[in-house]
Amino acid sequence: MALIDNGVYVHGRRVETPKNLDETYRMLDAAGGTAWIGLYRPSPEEVASVAREFDLHPLAVEDALSGHQRSKVERYGDTLFAVLRPARYRDKEESIEFGELHLFVGPDFVVTIRHAESPDLAAVRRRMEANPDLLAMGPEAVLYAILDEVVDGYEPIVAGLLNDIDEIEDQLFGDSDDDQLSRRIYELSREVINFQRAVHPLSGMLEWLRRGSEKYRIDEELQRSLRDVLDHTIRVNERVDSFRAILENALTVHSALVARRQTEAGLAQNDEIKKISSWAAIIFAPTLVGTVYGMNFEVMPELHWAFGYPMAIGAMAAFAVALYGVFKYKKWL
């Protein structure tokens, strides 16, 4: 069912639990107070019913129906429309699963439309119902509690990303496979960027809400709570920014290390080629002398000379020693 939970609250306490939207409208008119309607992937007809009853702006309704919106907050008359991007971290896949939550906050109603499992708004409702004084502050208090839940949900993601980055730093100077490590750094960087897109707008949204608190007579204690959520959001943003910088540096360092290893491998191979070439030249010189005197010519003066054989052997040795000295001097051997 699209209607997950539904309640009418007076002075911070639930007085009615309507079974459908029509009952909610009737009970709200009769009892007064605040209606808190929780919808999960509602049909266009259900959203249209809520829009007619609470006079929601068509542009906001269109955004709520289409989904895939960026984090934002907008005011249409006396109604706030907010889009939040809750998320949770899947450590095994090293990926972040993003949800989407739309909120309509009016003078006497809160409508939440979820398009994913997170966040757990049932926990938010239990927390608020356990604190009637806070809930009695009105729909703005519910908005604060939901914002607080979403931002608190970012903490496990920050911890998961930090753990993965620590593992990457350990692998960076180890013997891990270069291709696998490059892929891991790139994929984690992509997750951090997506997380950054979800978190960054929240600071501006909360600051905008804080500046409008006095104009719309928001309770002072609630204003302090919003400032606390803003501080928390700023800290998360700072951590995410640092993660992105670390991963960019890690990718740069990894590329440099890969290039260095390739260069060292090339130099080592070049040294081997030099050694092989040097010994080939040393062996070739005596072979050349021996080949000349191995030709079966009869008219060769040295053949009948008593010192011809020692001279040939000496020439072979001299060539070999001279070439060895040259190559040793050039550090080819």
Side-chain angles (χ1 to χ4, degrees):
M1 293 179 61
L3 188 61
I4 300 300
D5 202 349
N6 192 15
V8 176
Y9 300 85
V10 177
H11 302 304
R13 300 185 183 278
R14 187 189 287 235
V15 296
E16 300 288 355
T17 304
K19 296 180 180 179
N20 55 55
L21 292 174
D22 291 334
E23 282 188 15
T24 305
Y25 308 149
R26 289 195 299 271
M27 292 177 179
L28 179 61
D29 289 339
T34 301
W36 183 353
I37 302 171
L39 300 173
Y40 177 65
R41 293 180 178 171
S43 66
E45 292 75 17
E46 289 165 325
V47 176
S49 172
V50 173
R52 285 193 301 271
E53 178 65 24
F54 298 118
D55 192 25
L56 304 180
H57 197 279
L59 290 177
V61 174
E62 182 181 348
D63 286 345
L65 285 172
S66 60
H68 304 290
Q69 303 293 315
R70 61 179 178 83
S71 300
K72 63 180 179 179
V73 62
E74 297 170 340
R75 180 174 288 280
Y76 298 97
D78 57 0
T79 301
L80 277 175
F81 173 63
V83 179
L84 303 177
R85 298 300 307 276
R88 59 183 179 180
Y89 193 66
R90 292 185 171 183
D91 187 62
K92 186 176 180 180
E93 296 85 0
E94 292 185 357
S95 64
I96 303 173
E97 180 182 275
F98 293 95
E100 189 168 343
L101 176 63
H102 297 174
L103 295 95
F104 293 93
V105 181
D108 60 351
F109 67 88
V110 176
V111 179
T112 61
I113 300 176
R114 282 192 297 135
H115 292 278
E117 294 296 329
S118 62
D120 184 7
L121 294 183
V124 178
R125 194 181 290 259
R126 288 193 298 270
R127 170 190 167 193
M128 295 296 287
E129 289 179 349
N131 189 351
D133 292 338
L134 179 60
L135 190 51
M137 294 179 186
E140 291 82 3
V142 177
L143 174 61
Y144 148 72
I146 294 174
L147 285 166
D148 189 44
E149 178 70 18
V150 170
V151 175
D152 283 346
Y154 291 152
E155 280 297 332
I157 299 174
V158 171
L161 291 173
L162 180 59
N163 181 67
D164 291 333
I165 290 172
D166 287 341
E167 291 177 358
I168 285 174
E169 289 178 336
D170 291 338
Q171 292 177 336
L172 196 58
F173 298 99
D175 297 326
S176 59
D177 181 79
D178 290 336
D179 291 337
Q180 290 297 325
L181 184 56
S182 295
R183 179 184 293 274
R184 187 179 185 191
I185 295 173
Y186 173 76
E187 290 177 350
L188 195 59
S189 297
R190 183 178 59 189
E191 293 298 322
V192 168
I193 291 170
N194 290 335
F195 186 44
Q196 197 175 38
R197 289 172 181 166
V199 177
H200 263 206
L202 275 179
S203 297
M205 292 166 59
L206 287 162
E207 182 62 32
W208 184 80
L209 290 170
R210 190 189 65 79
R211 289 199 303 267
S213 296
E214 293 184 6
K215 178 180 178 181
Y216 293 97
R217 301 186 181 89
I218 305 300
D219 185 89
E220 187 174 347
E221 188 62 32
L222 194 55
Q223 292 184 44
R224 294 194 186 98
S225 298
L226 280 172
R227 283 197 295 271
D228 182 66
V229 177
L230 175 59
D231 291 341
H232 194 176
T233 304
I234 291 172
R235 288 197 298 272
V236 172
N237 272 320
E238 289 174 347
R239 296 300 298 278
V240 176
D241 290 343
S242 69
F243 289 164
R244 185 171 180 180
I246 289 171
L247 287 170
E248 288 175 352
N249 290 335
L251 194 58
T252 302
V253 170
H254 180 60
S255 299
L257 288 174
V258 170
R260 177 184 173 184
R261 288 170 189 156
Q262 291 175 344
T263 301
E264 290 175 348
L267 290 174
Q269 185 178 20
N270 192 40
D271 288 341
E272 292 299 320
I273 292 173
K274 287 179 179 179
K275 288 180 180 179
I276 293 171
S277 300
S278 299
W279 285 114
I282 291 170
I283 294 171
F284 174 73
T287 302
L288 179 63
V289 175
T291 302
V292 170
Y293 285 95
M295 291 187 267
N296 297 317
F297 293 114
E298 293 183 0
V299 184
M300 292 183 71
E302 292 86 357
L303 291 178
H304 303 287
W305 185 35
F307 296 102
Y309 175 73
M311 184 195 71
I313 296 298
M316 293 180 189
F319 277 127
V321 171
L323 287 173
Y324 181 83
V326 170
F327 291 132
K328 196 71 174 177
Y329 176 76
K330 292 182 174 292
K331 296 182 179 179
W332 283 32
L333 291 174

